[in-house]
Coordinates of all heavy atoms in Angstrom, one line a residue:
M1 N 0.8 -1.2 0.0 CA 0.0 0.0 0.0 C 0.9 1.3 0.0 O 0.4 2.3 -0.4 CB -0.9 0.0 1.2 CG -2.1 -1.1 1.1 SD -3.0 -1.0 -0.4 CE -4.1 0.4 -0.1
G2 N 2.1 1.1 0.4 CA 3.0 2.3 0.4 C 3.2 2.8 -1.0 O 3.3 4.0 -1.2
E3 N 3.3 1.9 -2.0 CA 3.5 2.3 -3.4 C 2.3 3.0 -3.9 O 2.4 3.9 -4.6 CB 3.9 1.1 -4.2 CG 5.3 0.5 -3.9 CD 6.4 1.5 -4.0 OE1 6.4 2.3 -5.0 OE2 7.3 1.5 -3.2
V4 N 1.1 2.4 -3.5 CA -0.1 3.1 -4.0 C -0.2 4.5 -3.4 O -0.6 5.4 -4.1 CB -1.4 2.2 -3.5 CG1 -2.7 2.9 -3.8 CG2 -1.3 0.9 -4.2
S5 N 0.1 4.6 -2.2 CA 0.1 5.9 -1.5 C 1.0 6.9 -2.3 O 0.7 8.1 -2.5 CB 0.5 5.8 -0.1 OG 0.6 7.1 0.6
A6 N 2.2 6.4 -2.6 CA 3.2 7.3 -3.4 C 2.6 7.7 -4.7 O 2.7 8.9 -5.1 CB 4.5 6.6 -3.5
V7 N 2.0 6.8 -5.4 CA 1.4 7.1 -6.7 C 0.2 8.1 -6.5 O 0.1 9.1 -7.3 CB 0.9 5.8 -7.4 CG1 0.1 6.2 -8.7 CG2 2.0 4.9 -7.8
L8 N -0.6 7.9 -5.5 CA -1.7 8.9 -5.3 C -1.2 10.3 -5.0 O -1.7 11.3 -5.5 CB -2.6 8.4 -4.2 CG -3.5 7.2 -4.5 CD1 -4.1 6.6 -3.2 CD2 -4.6 7.6 -5.5
L9 N -0.1 10.3 -4.2 CA 0.5 11.6 -3.9 C 1.0 12.3 -5.1 O 0.8 13.5 -5.3 CB 1.6 11.4 -2.8 CG 2.3 12.7 -2.4 CD1 1.3 13.6 -1.7 CD2 3.4 12.3 -1.4
N10 N 1.7 11.5 -6.0 CA 2.2 12.1 -7.2 C 1.1 12.6 -8.1 O 1.2 13.6 -8.8 CB 3.1 11.0 -8.0 CG 4.4 10.9 -7.4 OD1 5.0 11.9 -6.9 ND2 5.0 9.7 -7.4
L11 N 0.0 11.8 -8.2 CA -1.2 12.2 -9.0 C -1.8 13.5 -8.4 O -2.1 14.4 -9.2 CB -2.2 11.1 -9.0 CG -2.0 10.0 -9.9 CD1 -3.0 8.9 -9.7 CD2 -2.0 10.4 -11.4
E12 N -1.9 13.6 -7.1 CA -2.4 14.8 -6.5 C -1.5 16.0 -6.8 O -2.0 17.1 -7.1 CB -2.6 14.6 -5.0 CG -3.7 13.7 -4.6 CD -3.6 13.2 -3.2 OE1 -2.8 13.7 -2.4 OE2 -4.4 12.3 -2.8
H13 N -0.2 15.8 -6.7 CA 0.7 16.9 -7.0 C 0.6 17.3 -8.5 O 0.6 18.5 -8.8 CB 2.1 16.5 -6.7 CG 3.1 17.5 -7.0 ND1 3.3 18.7 -6.3 CD2 4.0 17.6 -8.1 CE1 4.2 19.4 -6.9 NE2 4.7 18.7 -7.9
T14 N 0.5 16.3 -9.4 CA 0.4 16.6 -10.8 C -0.9 17.3 -11.2 O -0.8 18.3 -12.0 CB 0.5 15.3 -11.6 OG1 1.7 14.6 -11.2 CG2 0.5 15.5 -13.1
I15 N -2.0 16.9 -10.5 CA -3.2 17.6 -10.8 C -3.1 19.1 -10.3 O -3.6 20.0 -11.0 CB -4.4 16.9 -10.1 CG1 -4.6 15.5 -10.8 CG2 -5.7 17.7 -10.1 CD1 -5.5 14.6 -10.0
A16 N -2.6 19.3 -9.1 CA -2.5 20.7 -8.6 C -1.6 21.5 -9.5 O -1.9 22.7 -9.8 CB -1.9 20.6 -7.2
R17 N -0.5 20.9 -10.0 CA 0.4 21.6 -10.9 C -0.2 22.0 -12.2 O 0.0 23.1 -12.7 CB 1.7 20.8 -11.1 CG 2.8 21.5 -11.8 CD 3.4 22.6 -11.0 NE 4.3 23.4 -11.8 CZ 4.2 24.7 -12.0 NH1 3.2 25.4 -11.4 NH2 5.0 25.3 -12.8
A18 N -1.0 21.0 -12.7 CA -1.7 21.3 -14.0 C -2.7 22.4 -13.8 O -2.9 23.2 -14.7 CB -2.3 20.0 -14.5
K19 N -3.4 22.4 -12.7 CA -4.4 23.5 -12.4 C -3.7 24.8 -12.3 O -4.2 25.8 -12.9 CB -5.2 23.2 -11.2 CG -6.2 22.1 -11.3 CD -6.9 21.8 -10.0 CE -8.0 20.7 -10.2 NZ -8.7 20.4 -8.9
K20 N -2.6 24.9 -11.7 CA -1.8 26.1 -11.6 C -1.4 26.6 -13.0 O -1.4 27.8 -13.3 CB -0.6 26.0 -10.7 CG -0.9 25.9 -9.2 CD 0.4 25.8 -8.4 CE 0.1 25.5 -6.9 NZ 1.3 25.3 -6.1
G21 N -0.9 25.6 -13.7 CA -0.4 26.0 -15.1 C -1.6 26.5 -16.0 O -1.4 27.4 -16.7
L22 N -2.7 25.8 -15.8 CA -3.9 26.2 -16.6 C -4.3 27.7 -16.2 O -4.6 28.5 -17.1 CB -5.0 25.3 -16.4 CG -6.4 25.6 -17.1 CD1 -6.1 25.6 -18.6 CD2 -7.4 24.5 -16.7
A23 N -4.3 28.0 -14.9 CA -4.7 29.3 -14.5 C -3.7 30.3 -15.0 O -4.1 31.4 -15.5 CB -4.7 29.3 -13.0
K24 N -2.4 30.0 -15.0 CA -1.4 30.9 -15.5 C -1.5 31.1 -17.0 O -1.4 32.3 -17.5 CB 0.0 30.3 -15.2 CG 1.1 31.3 -15.4 CD 2.4 30.7 -14.9 CE 3.6 31.7 -15.0 NZ 4.8 31.2 -14.5
V25 N -1.8 30.1 -17.7 CA -1.9 30.2 -19.2 C -3.2 31.1 -19.5 O -3.1 31.9 -20.4 CB -2.0 28.8 -19.9 CG1 -2.5 28.9 -21.3 CG2 -0.7 28.1 -19.8
K26 N -4.3 30.8 -18.8 CA -5.5 31.6 -19.1 C -5.3 33.1 -18.7 O -5.7 34.0 -19.4 CB -6.6 31.1 -18.2 CG -7.2 29.8 -18.8 CD -8.4 29.3 -17.9 CE -9.1 28.1 -18.5 NZ -10.2 27.7 -17.8
K27 N -4.6 33.3 -17.6 CA -4.3 34.7 -17.2 C -3.4 35.5 -18.2 O -3.7 36.6 -18.4 CB -3.6 34.7 -15.8 CG -3.4 36.1 -15.2 CD -2.8 36.0 -13.9 CE -2.6 37.4 -13.3 NZ -1.9 37.3 -12.0
S28 N -2.5 34.8 -18.7 CA -1.5 35.4 -19.7 C -2.1 35.5 -21.1 O -1.4 36.0 -22.0 CB -0.2 34.7 -19.6 OG -0.3 33.4 -20.2
G29 N -3.3 34.9 -21.3 CA -3.8 34.9 -22.7 C -3.0 34.0 -23.6 O -2.8 34.3 -24.7
G30 N -2.7 32.8 -23.0 CA -1.9 31.9 -23.8 C -2.6 31.2 -24.9 O -3.7 31.5 -25.3
D31 N -1.9 30.2 -25.4 CA -2.4 29.4 -26.5 C -3.6 28.6 -26.1 O -3.6 27.9 -25.1 CB -1.3 28.5 -27.0 CG -1.6 27.7 -28.2 OD1 -2.7 27.9 -28.8 OD2 -0.7 26.9 -28.6
R32 N -4.7 28.6 -26.9 CA -5.9 27.8 -26.6 C -5.7 26.3 -26.6 O -6.3 25.6 -25.8 CB -7.0 28.2 -27.7 CG -8.3 27.5 -27.5 CD -9.0 28.0 -26.2 NE -10.3 27.3 -26.1 CZ -10.8 26.9 -25.0 NH1 -10.2 27.2 -23.9 NH2 -12.0 26.3 -25.0
N33 N -4.8 25.9 -27.5 CA -4.5 24.4 -27.5 C -3.8 24.0 -26.2 O -4.1 22.9 -25.7 CB -3.5 24.1 -28.7 CG -4.2 24.2 -30.0 OD1 -5.5 24.0 -30.1 ND2 -3.5 24.4 -31.1
V34 N -3.0 24.8 -25.6 CA -2.4 24.5 -24.3 C -3.5 24.4 -23.2 O -3.5 23.5 -22.4 CB -1.3 25.5 -23.9 CG1 -0.8 25.2 -22.5 CG2 -0.2 25.5 -24.9
E35 N -4.4 25.3 -23.3 CA -5.5 25.3 -22.3 C -6.3 24.0 -22.4 O -6.6 23.4 -21.4 CB -6.4 26.5 -22.5 CG -5.8 27.8 -22.1 CD -6.8 29.0 -22.4 OE1 -8.0 28.8 -22.3 OE2 -6.3 30.1 -22.6
L36 N -6.6 23.6 -23.7 CA -7.4 22.4 -23.9 C -6.7 21.2 -23.4 O -7.2 20.3 -22.8 CB -7.8 22.3 -25.4 CG -8.8 23.4 -25.9 CD1 -9.0 23.3 -27.4 CD2 -10.1 23.2 -25.2
A37 N -5.4 21.2 -23.7 CA -4.6 20.0 -23.3 C -4.5 19.9 -21.8 O -4.6 18.8 -21.3 CB -3.2 20.1 -24.0
L38 N -4.3 21.0 -21.1 CA -4.2 20.9 -19.7 C -5.5 20.6 -19.1 O -5.6 19.8 -18.1 CB -3.7 22.3 -19.1 CG -2.2 22.6 -19.3 CD1 -1.9 24.0 -18.9 CD2 -1.4 21.6 -18.4
D39 N -6.6 21.1 -19.6 CA -7.9 20.8 -19.1 C -8.2 19.3 -19.3 O -8.7 18.6 -18.3 CB -9.0 21.6 -19.8 CG -10.3 21.6 -19.1 OD1 -10.3 21.6 -17.9 OD2 -11.3 21.5 -19.8
A40 N -7.9 18.7 -20.4 CA -8.1 17.3 -20.6 C -7.2 16.5 -19.7 O -7.6 15.4 -19.2 CB -7.8 17.0 -22.1
A41 N -6.0 16.9 -19.5 CA -5.1 16.2 -18.6 C -5.6 16.2 -17.2 O -5.5 15.2 -16.5 CB -3.7 16.8 -18.7
I42 N -6.1 17.3 -16.7 CA -6.7 17.4 -15.4 C -7.8 16.4 -15.2 O -7.9 15.7 -14.2 CB -7.1 18.9 -15.1 CG1 -5.8 19.7 -14.9 CG2 -7.9 18.9 -13.8 CD1 -6.1 21.2 -15.0
T43 N -8.7 16.4 -16.2 CA -9.8 15.5 -16.2 C -9.4 14.1 -16.1 O -9.9 13.3 -15.3 CB -10.7 15.7 -17.4 OG1 -11.2 17.1 -17.4 CG2 -11.9 14.8 -17.4
E44 N -8.5 13.7 -17.0 CA -8.0 12.3 -17.0 C -7.3 11.9 -15.7 O -7.4 10.8 -15.2 CB -7.2 12.0 -18.2 CG -8.0 12.0 -19.5 CD -9.1 11.0 -19.5 OE1 -8.9 9.9 -19.1 OE2 -10.2 11.4 -19.9
L45 N -6.4 12.8 -15.2 CA -5.7 12.5 -14.0 C -6.6 12.3 -12.8 O -6.4 11.4 -12.0 CB -4.6 13.6 -13.8 CG -3.5 13.6 -14.7 CD1 -2.7 14.9 -14.6 CD2 -2.5 12.4 -14.4
A46 N -7.6 13.2 -12.8 CA -8.6 13.1 -11.7 C -9.4 11.7 -11.7 O -9.6 11.1 -10.7 CB -9.6 14.2 -11.7
K47 N -9.7 11.3 -12.9 CA -10.4 10.0 -13.1 C -9.5 8.9 -12.6 O -9.9 7.9 -11.9 CB -10.7 9.8 -14.6 CG -11.9 10.6 -15.0 CD -12.2 10.3 -16.5 CE -13.3 11.2 -17.1 NZ -13.5 10.9 -18.5
Q48 N -8.2 8.9 -13.0 CA -7.3 7.9 -12.6 C -7.0 7.9 -11.1 O -6.9 6.8 -10.5 CB -5.9 8.0 -13.3 CG -6.0 7.8 -14.8 CD -6.6 6.4 -15.1 OE1 -6.2 5.4 -14.5 NE2 -7.5 6.4 -16.1
H49 N -7.0 9.0 -10.5 CA -6.8 9.2 -9.0 C -8.0 8.5 -8.3 O -7.9 7.7 -7.4 CB -6.7 10.6 -8.7 CG -6.5 10.9 -7.2 ND1 -7.6 11.0 -6.3 CD2 -5.4 11.0 -6.5 CE1 -7.1 11.2 -5.1 NE2 -5.8 11.2 -5.2
K50 N -9.2 8.8 -8.8 CA -10.4 8.3 -8.2 C -10.5 6.8 -8.4 O -10.8 6.1 -7.4 CB -11.6 8.9 -8.9 CG -13.0 8.4 -8.3 CD -14.1 9.1 -9.0 CE -15.5 8.6 -8.4 NZ -16.6 9.2 -9.1
R51 N -10.1 6.3 -9.6 CA -10.2 4.8 -9.8 C -9.2 4.1 -8.9 O -9.5 3.1 -8.3 CB -9.9 4.6 -11.3 CG -9.6 3.1 -11.7 CD -10.8 2.2 -11.3 NE -12.0 2.5 -12.0 CZ -13.2 2.0 -11.7 NH1 -13.3 1.2 -10.7 NH2 -14.2 2.4 -12.4
L52 N -8.0 4.7 -8.8 CA -6.9 4.0 -7.9 C -7.4 4.0 -6.5 O -7.2 3.0 -5.8 CB -5.6 4.7 -8.1 CG -4.4 4.1 -7.4 CD1 -4.2 2.7 -7.8 CD2 -3.2 4.9 -7.6
M53 N -8.0 5.1 -6.0 CA -8.5 5.1 -4.6 C -9.6 4.0 -4.4 O -9.6 3.3 -3.5 CB -9.1 6.5 -4.3 CG -8.1 7.6 -4.1 SD -7.3 7.5 -2.5 CE -8.6 8.1 -1.5
Q54 N -10.5 4.0 -5.4 CA -11.6 3.0 -5.3 C -11.1 1.6 -5.4 O -11.7 0.7 -4.7 CB -12.7 3.3 -6.3 CG -13.5 4.5 -6.1 CD -14.4 4.9 -7.2 OE1 -14.3 4.4 -8.3 NE2 -15.4 5.8 -7.0
D55 N -10.2 1.3 -6.2 CA -9.7 0.0 -6.4 C -8.8 -0.5 -5.3 O -8.5 -1.7 -5.2 CB -9.0 -0.2 -7.7 CG -9.9 -0.1 -8.9 OD1 -11.1 -0.2 -8.7 OD2 -9.4 -0.1 -10.1
T56 N -8.2 0.4 -4.5 CA -7.3 0.0 -3.4 C -7.9 0.2 -2.1 O -8.2 -0.7 -1.4 CB -6.0 0.7 -3.6 OG1 -6.2 2.1 -3.6 CG2 -5.3 0.3 -4.9
Y57 N -8.0 1.4 -1.7 CA -8.4 1.7 -0.3 C -9.9 1.4 0.0 O -10.2 1.0 1.1 CB -8.2 3.2 0.0 CG -6.8 3.6 0.1 CD1 -6.2 4.4 -0.9 CD2 -6.0 3.2 1.2 CE1 -4.8 4.7 -0.8 CE2 -4.7 3.5 1.3 CZ -4.1 4.3 0.3 OH -2.8 4.6 0.4
Y58 N -10.8 1.5 -1.0 CA -12.2 1.2 -0.7 C -12.7 0.0 -1.4 O -13.9 -0.2 -1.5 CB -13.0 2.5 -1.1 CG -12.5 3.7 -0.4 CD1 -11.9 4.7 -1.1 CD2 -12.7 3.9 0.9 CE1 -11.4 5.9 -0.5 CE2 -12.3 5.0 1.6 CZ -11.6 6.0 0.9 OH -11.2 7.1 1.5
A59 N -11.9 -0.9 -1.9 CA -12.3 -2.0 -2.6 C -13.0 -3.1 -1.8 O -13.8 -3.8 -2.2 CB -11.1 -2.6 -3.4
G60 N -12.5 -3.3 -0.5 CA -13.0 -4.3 0.3 C -12.7 -5.7 -0.3 O -11.6 -5.9 -0.8
D61 N -13.6 -6.6 -0.2 CA -13.4 -7.9 -0.7 C -13.9 -8.1 -2.2 O -13.9 -9.2 -2.7 CB -14.1 -9.0 0.2 CG -13.5 -9.0 1.5 OD1 -12.3 -8.7 1.7 OD2 -14.2 -9.4 2.5
A62 N -14.5 -7.0 -2.7 CA -15.1 -7.1 -4.1 C -14.0 -7.3 -5.1 O -12.9 -6.7 -5.0 CB -15.9 -5.9 -4.4
V63 N -14.3 -8.0 -6.1 CA -13.4 -8.2 -7.3 C -13.9 -7.3 -8.4 O -15.1 -7.4 -8.7 CB -13.3 -9.7 -7.7 CG1 -12.5 -9.8 -9.0 CG2 -12.8 -10.6 -6.6
R64 N -13.0 -6.5 -9.0 CA -13.4 -5.6 -10.0 C -13.4 -6.4 -11.3 O -12.4 -7.0 -11.7 CB -12.4 -4.5 -10.1 CG -12.7 -3.5 -11.2 CD -11.8 -2.4 -11.2 NE -11.9 -1.6 -12.4 CZ -10.9 -1.0 -13.0 NH1 -9.7 -1.0 -12.5 NH2 -11.1 -0.4 -14.1
L65 N -14.5 -6.3 -12.0 CA -14.7 -6.9 -13.4 C -14.4 -5.9 -14.4 O -15.0 -4.8 -14.4 CB -16.0 -7.5 -13.6 CG -16.4 -8.6 -12.6 CD1 -17.9 -9.0 -12.8 CD2 -15.5 -9.8 -12.7
I66 N -13.5 -6.2 -15.3 CA -13.2 -5.2 -16.4 C -13.9 -5.6 -17.6 O -14.0 -6.7 -18.1 CB -11.7 -5.2 -16.6 CG1 -11.0 -4.7 -15.4 CG2 -11.3 -4.3 -17.8 CD1 -9.5 -4.7 -15.4

């Protein structure tokens, strides 16, 4: 579980950094493609964070069917 915790921490840091970058790009009137890419990355990273949390910490005895 230590490795899972490390991955979750890295995901949280990456999401926070992407949000800061997105805010900075929007404030400076940056490239629209960069904004779209960061927004998509934030969405996907948040999904992966949620999935990892559900599959590890809150999974219980259930087996996940893919």
